[in-house]
Amino acid sequence: ICHPLHYTVMMRPRLCVLLVAVSWVITNLHALLHTLLMVQLTFCSHNAVHHFFCDPYPILKLSCSDTFINDITAFTVGGLTSITPFTCITVSYAYILSSVLKFPSIQGIRKALSTCGSHLTVVSLFYGAILGVYMHPSSTYSLQDTVATAFFTVVT
């Protein structure tokens, strides 16, 4: 949006592959970290997870071991993996807004902002639900968190 005629020059195939690879590596390392920490836990009650995907908090709730390290790790790493892209999105929109405000016509500004508005709505819903679910201890995980998880997974 900031440099529309330069898009094909800036978004080279190599950069696209790099962006996909970095995102794939980060998400897999994040999942591996949770898996390695969960392997050390013991589970003494029923092992039925009433969830539609393997989310760490419902599994931690089943553990009879001390999950303090898991909670701190989930909070820290989850915070970093949420705050970093959110910050990048915010900075990107600051650049977009500064470029859009240079448009000579009100129609152009309105069209650009309406396009950005729908994306910002989805980003707000996604990050709002994530922060609500993962920024508290696993012991307090509830049905509301399951609904919020379904919300940010399915709706957005």
Side-chain angles (χ1 to χ4, degrees):
I1 291 176
C2 296
H3 306 287
L5 300 177
H6 299 265
Y7 183 80
T8 55
V9 174
M10 296 167 91
M11 289 303 292
R12 301 174 313 276
R14 185 176 178 157
L15 179 61
C16 291
V17 168
L18 179 68
L19 290 171
V20 169
V22 166
S23 115
W24 187 84
V25 167
I26 287 172
T27 55
N28 280 290
L29 288 176
H30 185 234
L32 180 64
L33 176 66
H34 285 297
T35 304
L36 292 175
L37 286 172
M38 295 235 189
V39 167
Q40 300 173 6
L41 300 176
T42 55
F43 298 93
C44 50
S45 65
H46 68 285
N47 291 332
V49 178
H50 301 291
H51 215 283
F52 65 98
F53 70 96
C54 192
D55 197 24
Y57 275 7
I59 295 172
L60 286 176
K61 199 165 180 171
L62 295 175
S63 175
C64 55
S65 303
D66 182 23
T67 60
F68 179 75
I69 297 296
N70 298 71
D71 284 334
I72 292 297
T73 304
F75 187 79
T76 305
V77 174
L80 286 174
T81 57
S82 297
I83 297 294
T84 304
F86 186 75
T87 302
C88 291
I89 290 168
T90 304
V91 169
S92 296
Y93 271 102
Y95 279 114
I96 290 169
L97 188 60
S98 70
S99 294
V100 165
L101 292 177
K102 294 176 186 173
F103 287 174
S105 72
I106 299 294
Q107 296 284 69
I109 292 173
R110 189 174 295 148
K111 184 175 181 180
L113 292 179
S114 71
T115 302
C116 295
S118 61
H119 181 255
L120 281 175
T121 301
V122 171
V123 167
S124 300
L125 291 172
F126 181 75
Y127 282 104
I130 283 179
L131 291 174
V133 171
Y134 295 113
M135 292 299 123
H136 59 78
S138 62
S139 59
T140 62
Y141 194 86
S142 67
L143 180 62
Q144 287 177 323
D145 293 321
T146 304
V147 171
T149 303
F151 183 80
F152 79 74
T153 305
V154 176
V155 173
T156 60

